[in-house]
Amino acid sequence: MAEASTFYRAVYSEIEEVGWEHLVRFGGDLTSLSFRILDGKGRMRIIEIQLDKTHPKCPPSISADVPYMFDLKWSTHSRLKDVVQQFKKHLEKLQAFWSTLDDIDRSLWVVDPKQASPAVSYRQINMGPIVNLLRNRWRRNSKRWIKDKQFLENLKCLLETQLPIPPDVQKNEQQVECGICYAQSLPIDEELRHKSGTGTDYTCDNTSCKRAFHSICLVDWLRSITTTRQSFDVLFGSCPYCSEPVAVKIDSMKK
């Protein structure tokens, strides 16, 4: 009983040092504690601390919703505030990483994970119907990555295009970008003649799709598909997004 009383008094004292306002929950025997910590961006992070009955002789077990845990530095003179302080320093190291993931979640169409958490360190994004082309551009331009640039700026530079935005953003914005090259206008190029610098000029007839394209891009896409049929100067195929029939004149291409 005396040992238990000493343990409880010690833990209460150490919680006081951390701040009771940071305590989220605790077990009845005070061996299990959870603290809330705000990171540099004001995002709340929870650290779970499991104390040994011999505390502070043995280091506590720790866990948190982060991509990886830090190596806890502990001695017989360490206290809970030391754990919290080390956790705060660990959070600071992750700020740039989390900010990049936040930018991706806001700006790109993330397919997986469906529900992101601070511990998930990957994003699978929708690359659109031109994956092979983008893969080749990535390989060709990979050395152009600039460390001091934002992730999305580097991605746009390497892929030489704008990737699909989230579906909920698409619904709230007028779709004027091409569904294949993801640019609103074609580049200024003499080879494109009257099409140089023009916007999208073809729209899928499917009312649930209505995806817009540059006819030049759509012709290039259809020609890369083995199931596309040609009759005179018209190509017949399927929409890259909804698979409904599309038909586009070849003479809309650059000569």
Side-chain angles (χ1 to χ4, degrees), residues 157-177:
C157 179
L158 265 61
L159 299 180
E160 301 174 1
T161 190
Q162 180 70 44
L163 292 176
I165 60 177
D168 55 338
V169 175
Q170 290 180 10
K171 292 176 182 178
N172 296 326
E173 293 183 358
Q174 184 179 3
Q175 292 188 358
V176 293
E177 78 278 4

Side-chain angles (χ1 to χ4, degrees), residues 3-17 20 30 33 51 53 55-56 78-80:
E3 289 182 359
S5 178
T6 300
F7 174 80
Y8 292 147
R9 285 198 302 269
V11 173
Y12 270 107
S13 174
E14 293 183 37
I15 293 175
E16 187 77 29
E17 292 175 344
W20 287 95
L30 291 185
L33 305 168
L51 299 177
K53 280 293 187 180
H55 176 78
S78 296
R79 301 173 70 82
L80 288 175

Side-chain angles (χ1 to χ4, degrees), residues 12 35 69 72 96 117 126 158 172 189 218 222 227 241-242 246:
Y12 270 107
F35 291 98
M69 288 301 297
L72 179 65
S117 77
N126 186 327
L158 265 61
N172 296 326
D189 189 336
L218 187 56
L222 290 173
T227 55
Y241 285 83
C242 68
V246 295

Side-chain angles (χ1 to χ4, degrees), residues 7 11 14 23 25-35 46-64 69-70 72 74 79-80 83-84:
F7 174 80
V11 173
E14 293 183 37
L23 185 66
R25 54 183 173 272
F26 59 91
D29 58 359
L30 291 185
T31 58
S32 177
L33 305 168
S34 300
F35 291 98
I46 304 294
I47 181 170
E48 308 279 352
I49 303 176
Q50 189 71 36
L51 299 177
D52 189 88
K53 280 293 187 180
T54 62
H55 176 78
K57 292 181 180 179
C58 294
S61 300
I62 55 175
S63 61
M69 288 301 297
F70 59 96
L72 179 65
W74 187 264
R79 301 173 70 82
L80 288 175
V83 180
V84 172

